[in-house]
Amino acid sequence: MKPHISTKNLSVWYGEHHVLNNISIDIPDKKITVIIGPSGCGKTTLLKSFNRLIELQDGVKISGKVLLDGEDIYDPSCDITHLRKKMGLLFQKPQVLPMSIYENVAYGLRIHGTKDKEELDYSVEHYLKEASLWNEVKDRLNTSAWKLSIGQQQRLCLARGMAIEPEVILGDEPTAALDPISAERIEQRFLGLKNKYSIVLVTHILRQARRLADYVIFLYFGNLIEHGPAEAVFNHPKDPRTQAYIDGRFFEEHTS
Amino acid sequence: MAKKYFDKRNTEEAVFKCLMVLSIFIVAVSLISILATVLVKGIGALNIAMLTKTPEGGYYLGKTGGILNAILGSVILGVGATLMSLVISLPVVCYLNLYLKKNSRFALLVRFSLDVLWGVPSIVYGAFGFAAMLFLGLKASLLSGTVTVALLITPIMARSMDEIIRIIPFELKEAAYALGSTRLETAFKIIFKQAQPAILAATLVAFGRGIGDAACVLFTAGFTDSLPYSLFKPVATLPLAIFFQLGTPFPEVQKRGYAAALILTLLILTVSLSARFLSKRFTEHLLK
């Protein structure tokens, strides 16, 4: 198994708060990797360390390495806009841009240099279809993106993320704000897309993790407890804490 | 017991609501009485000549002619200063909100400085502008007046924009960065776009403040009966036209002062309303 993203002894602090402690994992290529664990255990931080979005936080300190295709993304020579172009990110709450549906998808293409109108038209249609949104919006591409339902907005964000032709799709609880039907459609898209992209999802819904995951990472208060193929982690967890979490009887003695 | 508790809360609610309505009433009455005073006292002297002619018989005592010199002067000076201030404010706001982290000490210092500058009385700006002019060997002129007014309104414009841009959700910035936008692209294509109504409002407030300020232009722009024709010559402005005319002992000239005030008020009102009207069509896609 060839890793797409690897972390080597990754530690992250927000000020004095030690959020991730010495994480070393490999994210497999063209698979769905799901990060699970109780709230506040560093799942989102780990995800955002992959495209260096955590650097936007105040007082963040990072040590260790994150490798994308073997190259250290925290190396000073790494071009951050180019790195982020390789990763599409879906947020918990879909965040559309203040522009039309068409422009939301075209935005990423434009900033990365596409100017040709036909090419833009083609890509917008293509990626809206990839996100299974095209049929619902094809007659109103010039209306505002925020007028879409929240489920549609999340699919628009997916289309927008894919339009910059990333290698990886990151999802930070991408279905958490959605109704069950919209969530189901997003899940279906992930399953359909996994042969084209490496997908990394954060979720706190265990059933969703079971449905989607090829590979599972279990974090517990900033520590990596267990990781491995989904089947192994879910059915034969090695660590008692993983077993407890999967059984839904989680001890939260660490929470203040 | 329960009833008593409930009564207390209801009374509280009623009393405070009353106070709020009273405050709003005071604000509304002030606005209406100011407008009414200017209108009643000025309308008699308002005629076409006021808008189309330059003063005849000197701006202190002249009872005929108009104040076209001051109208044009104020518009040019006000627009110039606003544009100048916009060119300074946008980069400041951009740097504060996109290039510095949220709890940056430097950002705190800049915001504090702008707040202090906002509080500096305009006559101090006027005096400072005058001192700077002497130092540079300049005379009272359109240029000096414009620069001084730009200094006066920049803190107002920059801080008003900053306050709104600060509360734009962090997630919007994150989403833009996640797509590989640079900071500059995020600022101009996303954040300023979303903040466009706020930027417009801040610009209009600053314009209104700048065009209406007398103390700032008193020493720096000077006054003249002729129409503005050079950046380096004195220029007439409406606030000074009002000031000089109201200062005369002649009721007819004082009336012309009120007419000038009416014109200034209408000018600001027109610019404000038309800008807001025009911007409506660009704000359709903004996130609500």
Side-chain angles (χ1 to χ4, degrees):
Chain A
M1 181 186 82
K2 172 178 156 281
H4 198 166
I5 306 173
S6 310
T7 67
K8 302 252 187 281
N9 307 105
L10 179 70
S11 287
V12 177
W13 292 262
Y14 293 145
E16 293 300 303
H17 184 43
H18 198 164
V19 194
L20 286 179
N21 182 23
N22 212 17
I23 308 281
S24 297
I25 39 156
D26 290 330
I27 307 277
D29 194 21
K30 309 264 189 301
K31 294 266 194 291
I32 298 183
T33 301
V34 174
I35 307 172
I36 56 171
S39 331
C41 68
K43 302 189 295 282
T44 299
T45 302
L46 181 60
L47 194 75
K48 287 185 178 172
S49 72
F50 295 158
N51 69 353
R52 291 178 58 178
L53 266 191
I54 45 167
E55 286 175 24
L56 299 176
Q57 305 292 331
D58 280 316
V60 72
K61 205 168 80 204
I62 302 150
S63 80
K65 278 184 182 175
V66 177
L67 307 175
L68 178 69
D69 296 317
E71 279 176 44
D72 184 5
I73 65 165
Y74 285 93
D75 191 86
S77 68
C78 171
D79 176 20
I80 195 160
T81 57
H82 191 64
L83 167 74
R84 288 178 181 153
K85 184 184 177 301
K86 291 184 187 169
M87 314 241 179
L89 176 63
L90 284 179
F91 295 91
Q92 190 177 107
K93 189 172 153 275
Q95 182 65 59
V96 297
L97 304 176
M99 40 189 92
S100 67
I101 295 169
Y102 180 96
E103 287 301 327
N104 257 272
V105 184
Y107 173 81
L109 293 158
R110 287 190 204 275
I111 60 169
H112 293 295
T114 311
K115 291 199 176 73
D116 184 54
K117 179 85 174 80
E118 266 175 46
E119 210 180 319
L120 286 172
D121 286 349
Y122 171 80
S123 295
V124 169
E125 178 173 345
H126 176 74
Y127 289 108
L128 283 171
K129 280 179 178 161
E130 283 279 281
S132 355
L133 186 61
W134 175 253
N135 285 331
E136 290 157 62
V137 300
K138 64 182 175 197
D139 301 321
R140 47 172 176 148
L141 289 174
N142 291 319
T143 56
S144 303
W146 62 266
K147 287 182 182 155
L148 295 171
S149 76
I150 197 123
Q152 290 172 323
Q153 286 186 20
Q154 191 63 300
R155 276 178 282 147
L156 179 64
C157 290
L158 180 62
R160 182 183 74 192
M162 288 191 292
I164 56 173
E165 296 180 345
E167 301 165 6
V168 182
I169 293 178
L170 306 172
D172 183 7
E173 300 186 22
T175 62
L178 308 187
D179 62 276
I181 292 165
S182 302
E184 162 77 18
R185 300 188 74 158
I186 293 273
E187 279 190 21
Q188 288 307 320
R189 278 329 294 153
F190 285 142
L191 290 171
L193 291 167
K194 72 172 177 180
N195 48 13
K196 290 188 198 157
Y197 306 91
S198 304
I199 301 176
V200 187
L201 302 175
V202 162
T203 184
H204 59 241
I205 310 167
L206 267 174
R207 272 174 302 165
Q208 183 177 54
R210 281 180 193 271
R211 284 193 295 268
L212 298 178
D214 298 308
Y215 198 82
V216 175
I217 295 168
F218 176 55
L219 291 182
Y220 181 62
F221 293 105
N223 292 300
L224 176 63
I225 303 299
E226 192 158 350
H227 63 114
E231 204 267 334
V233 175
F234 283 131
N235 298 332
H236 313 288
K238 295 188 197 95
D239 194 286
R241 285 169 292 185
T242 318
Q243 182 71 60
Y245 185 71
I246 289 169
D247 292 347
R249 47 177 176 87
F250 212 77
F251 38 93
E252 302 252 341
E253 83 267 32
H254 272 71
T255 46
S256 46
Chain B
M1 187 63 205
K3 189 171 181 294
K4 207 172 175 188
Y5 176 63
F6 194 66
D7 281 351
K8 183 176 168 259
R9 293 176 65 204
N10 273 346
T11 317
E12 226 172 53
E13 181 78 12
V15 168
F16 280 95
K17 192 180 163 198
C18 229
L19 289 175
M20 289 171 207
V21 171
L22 187 68
S23 306
I24 288 172
F25 184 71
I26 293 172
V27 171
V29 168
S30 314
L31 177 69
I32 292 167
S33 27
I34 290 173
L35 289 179
T37 309
V38 173
L39 195 68
V40 170
K41 296 208 169 191
I43 199 97
L46 194 64
N47 51 39
I48 295 296
M50 279 291 274
L51 299 172
T52 54
K53 286 192 175 156
T54 54
E56 286 156 16
Y59 53 80
Y60 273 91
L61 306 170
K63 293 170 191 167
T64 50
I67 50 164
L68 183 64
N69 58 333
I71 297 173
L72 276 183
S74 264
V75 168
I76 294 170
L77 192 141
V79 170
T82 306
L83 290 179
M84 214 180 273
S85 172
L86 195 62
V87 169
I88 304 168
S89 299
L90 280 179
V92 168
V93 171
C94 179
Y95 195 76
L96 284 178
N97 287 286
L98 286 125
Y99 287 76
L100 295 176
K101 294 207 169 174
K102 240 187 196 154
N103 58 8
S104 141
R105 274 164 194 269
F106 180 62
L108 199 70
L109 181 73
V110 174
R111 290 192 171 108
F112 178 71
S113 310
L114 286 170
D115 286 343
V116 172
L117 284 174
W118 188 328
V120 170
S122 63
I123 187 72
V124 177
Y125 279 95
F128 170 75
F130 187 61
M133 269 161 50
L134 290 182
F135 181 74
L136 296 170
L138 294 169
K139 295 224 167 78
S141 62
L142 175 56
L143 182 67
S144 313
T146 308
V147 172
T148 312
V149 171
L151 288 179
L152 170 77
I153 63 179
T154 298
I156 301 172
M157 196 188 283
R159 279 297 274 135
S160 316
M161 287 178 192
D162 179 49
E163 278 305 312
I164 302 294
I165 289 179
R166 258 170 110 179
I167 58 167
I168 287 181
F170 178 68
E171 288 75 17
L172 187 58
K173 274 188 243 174
E174 254 189 334
Y177 289 137
L179 289 168
S181 315
T182 61
R183 284 173 199 268
L184 204 63
E185 283 161 349
T186 308
F188 280 89
K189 295 185 175 165
I190 309 285
I191 302 297
F192 286 173
K193 198 168 173 188
Q194 174 66 19
Q196 190 236 300
I199 292 174
L200 181 75
T203 308
L204 289 176
V205 167
F207 171 76
R209 183 82 167 72
I211 202 174
D213 195 84
C216 231
V217 289
L218 187 57
F219 308 125
T220 56
F223 204 84
T224 171
D225 277 356
S226 55
L227 295 177
Y229 66 97
S230 162
L231 268 179
F232 305 100
K233 293 283 185 244
V235 65
T237 46
L238 280 168
L240 289 185
I242 299 167
F243 175 63
F244 291 140
Q245 289 176 321
L246 283 183
T248 62
F250 310 112
E252 292 134 288
V253 183
Q254 285 176 0
K255 261 193 183 167
R256 293 168 60 84
Y258 281 108
L262 183 59
I263 291 169
L264 179 58
T265 311
L266 291 177
L267 187 70
I268 295 172
L269 205 65
T270 315
V271 169
S272 226
L273 288 178
S274 46
R276 271 161 216 270
F277 180 74
L278 285 175
S279 89
K280 273 256 159 65
R281 69 179 64 176
F282 301 112
T283 58
E284 183 197 345
H285 295 313
L286 300 190
L287 311 177
K288 296 286 187 293

